[in-house]
Amino acid sequence: MTIIQQALDKLQLSALHPTAARTATGNGTSIDVQTLDGDLFVILDSAAAGAGTNPTLDIKLQSSDTSGGTYYDITGATFTQVTSTASQQAITISKDEARRWIRIVYTIGGTSSPSFTFSVNAVGVKKYG
């Protein structure tokens, strides 16, 4: 096994929001970060707004001690607002500053049925293995 393959085997990719079109505000899937170590690299990939007047997409990360518990905003873990142009963004959060479970919250604004197609994925280093 090559050094590169060993490094890749230690990475974990987790979908906080698989690619999908959305027309209303909601929450992404929560993931357990307990088995990860260090920082998480969180990537947003959004197409331009598919419809609507003055469409906006705001996305932030939250964390909780339990998957079904109360979620709290993670300080500084907010993407720049997406509007009428496509956007690829990345932010880094310290896994140690978040609670065990993380998720995204997305807010869609505008009028005339705004729509966005986007995904949000987290990449972290496995603590073991």
Side-chain angles (χ1 to χ4, degrees):
M1 182 178 297
T2 67
I3 292 173
I4 293 172
Q5 186 59 48
Q6 289 173 347
L8 290 174
D9 287 346
K10 291 185 182 234
L11 294 179
Q12 179 173 317
L13 175 67
S14 301
L16 293 165
H17 183 277
T19 304
R22 298 289 183 220
T23 58
T25 296
N27 301 322
T29 304
S30 59
I31 62 167
D32 186 352
V33 297
Q34 183 176 15
T35 60
L36 302 177
D37 198 20
D39 292 342
L40 293 174
F41 192 60
V42 185
I43 304 159
L44 163 65
D45 187 12
S46 175
T53 302
N54 298 319
T56 60
L57 171 63
D58 294 289
I59 299 174
K60 63 183 176 180
L61 283 114
Q62 295 184 323
S63 68
S64 175
D65 293 320
T66 60
S67 68
T70 302
Y71 279 81
Y72 303 94
D73 293 351
I74 300 172
T75 303
T78 303
F79 290 101
T80 301
Q81 186 178 73
V82 180
T83 56
S84 58
T85 58
S87 181
Q88 291 77 39
Q89 302 177 42
I91 57 175
T92 303
I93 62 169
S94 170
K95 193 265 321 183
D96 297 329
E97 293 178 10
R99 292 171 173 87
R100 179 174 178 173
W101 295 86
I102 65 168
R103 71 175 184 186
I104 65 160
V105 175
Y106 54 93
T107 304
I108 295 177
T111 58
S112 302
S113 302
S115 172
F116 286 90
T117 299
F118 67 97
S119 66
V120 180
N121 293 286
V123 179
V125 176
K126 295 175 190 174
K127 195 180 285 188
Y128 309 105

